[in-house]
Amino acid sequence: MTEVRRVVVDTDTGIDDAHTLLYLAGRPDAEIVAVTSVYGNCVEDDAVRNIGYVNALLGLDVPVARGAAGPLSGNPRIARAVHGKDGLGDVGYDRPLPAVIGESAAELLVRLGREQPGELDLLALGPLTNLAQALRLDPELFTRYRSVVVMGGSGPYAAPGTLLMVDANINNDPAAAAEVFAAPRRELVMVGVNVTATTILDEQAIGVLRAAGTPVSRFATEILEAYLDFYQNEWGRRIIPLHDPLAAGILLDPGFATAWVDGPVNVLSDGFLSRARLMRTHDGLPPAFRYTPAPPTRVITAVDAPRFVADFVEVLSR
């Protein structure tokens, strides 16, 4: 019998976050037990409205808690050019505010961890502000979750001459990310842009989703246009990477990851962008500077992209 992973989702509900909720809801080995909102792909008010819209589409009745509207310090960077002004590609859905609980996102994360120690997985899909605020309430928070999986980070240092996609989740709140990667944990997994950028939903796969004609697949393709408009500037094709869905896939099926390294992660700035990196070069050596010691994070370095993309399409096409 397949074990069911019970997942708490922290999300800045943009297009690929919505896809992730659809994917989790369609997997028989996953149960979404609560959802918390955070700014990032859109403002927090839109993030919680989008949670409500997707939950209603799925018939999902779980606690929803509102989270941070901005980083621990400074102003939020909102990805309107990627996800549209409303986070769902500005299709025009009616998105009333859903019923939310009286606790903040941070308070809910702490309570669930204490009430059900070792039973829940925490999946973080946006800036890590809510998680950092929760850690300030309970520094042992991550030891209470079975695992914490973060869609964010950049993996080890890239090979010389190699450029990486921007890691918006870490760059939006590097101070929060630093607190997350320094915290004690049972298992912390980093699914970064070094691997998510390789999981491509191409023209054929999008066509399969469109042809499925289910409410879920129709919604999944309706919200894609803004995302495709953005990524066509990256590759000259109307294709997208499955950033957040891959993190969910690895949480449920670690076999989607074909290589990883356990080691310390630091959050560092180059003066332009902040990134979370494994403190190793591409060939496994320590970096040429002093870094801050940290508990080991499982950093994914390679994935079976074809198998994951096929599973994602199959789940959303049912």
Side-chain angles (χ1 to χ4, degrees):
M1 183 175 178
T2 302
E3 183 181 17
V4 175
R5 304 296 287 258
R6 303 178 63 236
V7 186
V8 179
V9 183
D10 183 67
T11 174
D12 57 340
T13 332
I15 292 165
D16 60 330
D17 305 70
H19 285 165
T20 304
L21 292 173
L22 302 179
Y23 178 71
L24 287 169
R27 287 273 307 227
D29 54 352
E31 176 190 353
I32 300 171
V33 300
V35 188
T36 57
S37 63
V38 69
Y39 71 96
N41 291 329
C42 51
V43 298
E44 186 277 331
D45 188 72
D46 281 319
V48 75
R49 290 175 186 273
N50 295 345
I51 291 169
Y53 187 88
V54 176
N55 284 356
L57 174 68
L58 294 169
L60 186 64
D61 183 15
V62 298
V64 175
R66 299 192 68 162
L72 296 177
S73 63
N75 297 315
R77 303 175 180 91
I78 305 300
R80 296 183 181 90
V82 184
H83 297 268
K85 293 179 181 178
D86 69 359
L88 292 181
D90 298 327
V91 176
Y93 301 119
D94 182 24
R95 302 169 301 121
L97 279 171
V100 297
I101 64 174
E103 296 168 292
S104 69
E107 290 167 339
L108 177 63
L109 296 180
V110 169
R111 177 171 64 81
L112 290 176
R114 288 175 173 171
E115 289 178 350
Q116 303 175 66
E119 298 180 15
L120 304 176
D121 297 281
L122 176 55
L123 177 62
L125 304 178
L128 298 176
T129 313
N130 288 339
L131 274 64
Q133 291 176 341
L135 284 167
R136 292 180 177 188
L137 296 175
D138 181 1
E140 298 296 318
L141 177 71
F142 291 171
T143 68
R144 308 187 198 285
Y145 281 84
R146 177 175 175 172
S147 73
V148 180
V149 178
V150 171
M151 192 277 111
S154 300
Y157 282 89
T162 303
L163 297 177
L164 285 173
M165 191 174 288
V166 173
D167 177 12
N169 287 343
I170 303 303
N171 193 51
N172 241 319
D173 196 343
E179 293 186 23
V180 165
F181 288 109
R185 75 287 305 266
R186 183 181 300 227
E187 180 181 67
L188 179 61
V189 181
M190 186 171 89
V191 184
V193 295
N194 56 306
V195 289
T196 63
T198 69
T199 53
I200 299 299
L201 194 70
D202 64 14
E203 298 91 344
Q204 180 180 1
I206 293 169
V208 171
L209 283 177
R210 285 201 173 104
T214 67
V216 163
S217 66
R218 280 197 299 270
F219 170 71
T221 53
E222 283 173 358
I223 63 177
L224 274 182
E225 293 307 310
Y227 218 31
L228 293 167
D229 288 345
F230 176 81
Y231 277 107
Q232 70 184 10
N233 295 315
E234 191 76 23
W235 293 304
R237 294 169 57 188
R238 293 183 68 75
I239 58 179
I240 62 163
L242 295 171
H243 293 299
D244 291 342
L246 178 64
I250 288 173
L251 189 159
L252 299 176
D253 181 356
F256 284 131
T258 57
W260 58 85
V261 178
D262 294 332
V265 168
N266 281 192
V267 179
L268 302 171
S269 173
D270 61 8
F272 300 96
L273 296 171
S274 293
R275 291 186 183 273
R277 291 188 186 271
L278 175 70
M279 291 293 98
R280 296 290 183 272
T281 62
H282 78 285
D283 50 1
L285 298 174
F289 53 82
R290 290 186 178 180
Y291 59 87
T292 303
T297 294
R298 174 148 295 186
V299 178
I300 306 303
T301 56
V303 296
D304 188 343
R307 187 169 79 86
F308 171 70
V309 172
D311 184 64
F312 175 84
V313 172
E314 193 274 328
V315 169
L316 267 64
S317 299
R318 288 175 188 160

